[in-house]
Each structure stands twice: as structure tokens, then as C-alpha cells.
Amino acid sequence: MLNFGVSVATVPTHTTDISVTTSANSPVRVAVRIRPIEANIPGELCSRAEQTPCIEATGNSIVLLPTHVDNDCSQHGGIVGGTRTEFHHSFGSAVSQQEVFDSAVAPLLATFASGQNVAIMAYGQTGSGKTYTMGMGMSSVSGSDESSGIIPRVLEWVFTQAPSKVTIELAELYNGKVNALTAGNQHAATAADALLLLQIGLRRRQTAATNANAMSSRSHAVFTVTVLWPGQRKATKLRFADLAGSERLADTQAEGKHLAEAKAINKSLLTLGRVVAALASATPTFVPYRDDPLTFLLKDVIGGDAQTLLLACVAGNEASRAETASTLAFAKRALAVKHHKPSGMLAGRLGSAAEEAKRRIAAEAEAEKLRNMVKQLQAMVELLQLQIAASSQT
């Protein structure tokens, strides 16, 4: 269980309920997880803000608490709190890895086994527990103890279902470029095989120390498990996306290479935000998937054919209020994501384009048939010419 041995005092709340629809049939289910507040570090100037909670989980709701800290370390940016938002799941700081798996992840596995693609994506600021929760850190990739993350637990489950074939692939998006961390799709015969391949790939992932996190992921990582189930002709994909954390550049004080990394990370996350906003729009609108390699890579995860779980991870202390509020705002928009079906003029144009494509294909097939006939006739003429020449010599 995530526990740093800190007793967090209860903060009185005066909240305003926000009505948010959490349909069971939504293509995106949203869970919020609060990271435990770390133990006080002697000599830290921001200790009070770091030790004071700004958020709490109540049932399936998340409450952004009123601010009780007034100092330079409370980067609330005017976000004073006092709001309650309902999500599909909310996990307080004392919730274990097993509880997260049982409540939010296990229900998706039946969908996966039925032949539908599934995706699990972790979003949040640097140091909020995304990699730990997903099981993409070296400390949480093991499937043998309580601290193991979602991925090891899912892999253990997959191989108890007697799949016909399993392949895995790990890639990262670093500074706008997609890099393979495994040699293509690797066959895995057991959960241990899959975990070993994952560990080998994770050693190649870009990480670095920043002011926000001693082992900050400098890339977005996407881990894909492709399974062919018995009796099914088409393989099903389970995709995990561990997104690099959003960062306030002024807080991280990044320079040089790390500054360029942070800018690339923030750019891709901003584009992801625009994609989610477009998919949550009440009317069909242009979705800018191609504006960034990340959103193009995740096209089938958000708004595609996959059933998706978004894990919004938050630090939960007063010093992280602004980033926490930003993550919650993204999570609320994701609740409204829907699969848009083309309609009206757009559907008409798509239909006309499809019919035109069919006519062109048919015409090309007919032309190819005629070309073959011409070649056959030419061959016959050449043969007759040879026969005539041979007869004249005799």
C-alpha cells in the first residue's frame, strides 16, 4: 500500500456539487488517484504547503478543498477550491494497488476477452504516481508483491485465460519522435516472459532528475499487449499509455536538454487536451489527432474503438493545487468523450467519396483486364509472325 507514514489531518470542507454524467456505456471511464503526502523534510521552505492536503476522495467523488495556506509555495493561481466532482472511481491516498486493480481495471478485462480493444492511460503532473500505478517503474513492474502495478497484474491474468498467442511491444515518444524500446512485436509464452521483455525495454526509457521528481520520465511510454483468443480470428489489443508528467517550467527550473524535453512534453499534452475537448464537444467537430505524434499514436485509445480507462493521478498537497486542478479539469472533459458518428453533410460527403472510390476501383479493374487481353493478342500476333517466317524459309 502506498504509505509514507504520514498522518494527514482532516480539513473542513465547504463544497459545491458539480453534476457530471458518468455513464456506464461511455467509451472512456475516469478514475482519480491521490498520491500520499510525503513525510516532512527538515529545512524545506515549503513544508507547510507540502504537508497540507488540497483534495480528498469521498465515495466516487473528488473534493478540491478550500485553500488554508497563504504563502509563496501554494501555487493555487486563484483556484480556491470548494468543489465536488463525481467520477467513475476515486481512490484516496490509502488505497492499495490491488484495490485499484480490482475496482477500475478488472471490469475491463471481460471486455478485452470478448474481443474488444482496451486501453489504460495514466495522466497527471510529474511525481503524482502515474508510473507506479501503471507498473512501468522498475519498482512496480514485478508481479510478485503488493506494490506491483496494473500491467504485471493484467499480464498474470492474461496467461491464466489460456490465450492462443500473446505478443508485446514497448515504444516511447521522446522529443516528438517515436522510438521502439523492444525489437518489434515480441512473442511471450508466459507472464514472466512478458515482464522480462518489459523490464528490458524500460531500461532504455528516457528518465532524468528534475526539481519535481528524482526519476522523472522524459518520454511518453506506450506498452501494447496483443492477444489472439481461442476461437477468434482477429487479435485484440490492450494498450497502456504512461504519459510523461505535465510540468510548470518555472517550478522545475529545467535548462538545456531538459528544457527542450519539458517543452515537447507540454506541447503534446496540450494537443491531447484539444483532442479530448473536440471529442467531448456536443456537436461533431474536427479532431486534431495529427497535430502531435502523441495524439496520432493514441488515436485508437481516445475516441477510437477501444474501451478506455483514464487514470488521473494527482499529488494532493497544497503546493500542487494548480496542477491538481488542471488534472481534474482534464479528467472532467474526458468524462464527456463520445464516439462521434459522421452525420449530415459530412456523412454525405464520405458516402459520395466512398462511391467514387468504388467506381474508380471497378474502372481500374476493367482497364487491367483489357490490358491483359491486349498483351495476349500481342503474344498471339508475335507467335503467328514467327510461324509465318518459319514456313516461308521452308
Side-chain angles (χ1 to χ4, degrees):
M1 182 168 62
L2 280 170
N3 190 346
F4 290 88
V6 178
S7 176
V8 178
T10 302
V11 178
T13 63
H14 303 282
T15 63
T16 301
D17 287 337
I18 296 179
S19 178
V20 178
T21 301
T22 54
S23 170
N25 298 320
S26 170
V28 178
R29 298 182 65 79
V30 181
V32 178
R33 188 180 195 187
I34 304 172
R35 187 186 192 278
I37 293 177
E38 296 189 35
N40 184 36
I41 302 174
E44 287 287 336
L45 296 177
C46 301
S47 60
R48 186 183 174 201
E50 290 173 345
Q51 295 302 297
T52 303
C54 73
I55 190 174
E56 70 178 12
T58 304
N60 285 338
S61 296
I62 290 292
V63 179
L64 185 62
L65 304 173
T67 181
H68 288 262
V69 176
D70 184 19
N71 60 31
D72 292 338
C73 297
S74 179
Q75 302 291 340
H76 56 76
I79 304 167
V80 295
T83 58
R84 180 193 304 270
T85 307
E86 183 182 355
F87 296 95
H88 294 99
H89 309 277
S90 69
F91 302 113
S93 58
V95 172
S96 69
Q97 297 275 66
Q98 184 68 49
E99 290 174 281
V100 172
F101 177 83
D102 291 342
S103 180
V105 179
L108 290 175
L109 298 181
T111 300
F112 180 52
S114 70
Q116 184 178 357
N117 293 332
V118 168
I120 301 174
M121 181 170 67
Y123 178 95
Q125 75 180 92
T126 293
S128 58
K130 302 181 302 298
T131 298
Y132 177 85
T133 299
M134 290 289 279
M136 277 197 177
M138 298 310 294
S139 64
S140 58
V141 73
S142 170
S144 60
D145 58 30
E146 198 283 330
S147 67
S148 62
I150 291 171
I151 291 175
R153 296 173 190 273
V154 168
L155 288 173
E156 291 286 349
W157 174 86
V158 165
F159 284 96
T160 64
Q161 307 303 305
S164 299
K165 183 180 180 181
V166 177
T167 61
I168 66 102
E169 183 177 16
L170 179 64
E172 70 171 355
L173 178 64
Y174 176 67
N175 276 351
K177 295 182 179 180
V178 179
N179 303 319
L181 301 181
T182 54
N185 284 312
Q186 297 283 302
H187 174 71
T190 64
D193 287 347
L195 287 172
L196 178 60
L197 291 168
L198 174 60
Q199 288 175 321
I200 292 172
L202 287 174
R203 292 192 185 101
R204 300 170 181 152
R205 188 181 181 186
Q206 297 287 341
T207 61
T210 70
N211 280 11
N213 188 354
M215 280 294 292
S216 175
S217 300
R218 313 310 297 160
S219 66
H220 307 295
V222 179
F223 180 62
T224 304
V225 181
T226 304
V227 178
L228 181 62
W229 298 108
Q232 295 184 0
R233 295 183 177 180
K234 185 178 179 181
T236 310
K237 291 186 176 182
L238 177 54
R239 183 163 289 172
F240 302 88
D242 178 23
L243 303 181
S246 58
E247 297 178 342
R248 294 167 59 93
L249 299 183
D251 292 345
T252 60
Q253 299 178 11
E255 297 178 348
K257 174 186 174 181
H258 295 329
L259 178 60
E261 292 169 343
K263 287 181 176 178
I265 290 169
N266 288 346
K267 174 183 176 293
S268 59
L269 294 176
L270 286 171
T271 305
L272 179 61
R274 292 200 300 271
V275 165
V276 168
L279 291 169
S281 173
T283 57
T285 185
F286 173 73
V287 183
Y289 287 118
R290 293 182 178 272
D291 284 6
D292 190 88
L294 174 67
T295 49
F296 187 73
L297 188 65
L298 298 181
K299 184 176 180 180
D300 62 340
V301 174
I302 295 291
D305 64 348
Q307 185 72 31
T308 299
L309 171 66
L310 170 66
L311 286 164
C313 298
V314 295
N317 58 14
E318 188 65 37
S320 302
R321 175 177 287 270
E323 291 286 4
T324 295
S326 176
T327 299
L328 293 179
F330 178 85
K332 284 166 58 178
R333 287 196 300 272
L335 286 172
V337 166
K338 58 186 72 69
H339 291 155
H340 283 302
K341 294 182 179 180
S343 60
M345 185 179 296
L346 177 59
R349 289 176 179 174
L350 290 175
S352 299
E355 290 300 322
E356 179 63 22
K358 288 180 181 178
R359 285 194 292 269
R360 290 182 179 180
I361 292 171
E364 180 61 29
E366 186 65 27
E368 182 65 22
K369 186 187 297 184
L370 291 173
R371 283 192 290 269
N372 289 334
M373 290 177 63
V374 169
K375 289 179 180 179
Q376 291 175 1
L377 289 171
Q378 288 175 337
M380 292 175 63
V381 169
E382 291 176 359
L383 179 61
L384 287 171
Q385 289 175 338
L386 290 172
Q387 290 175 345
I388 292 171
S391 62
S392 64
Q393 292 177 358
T394 59

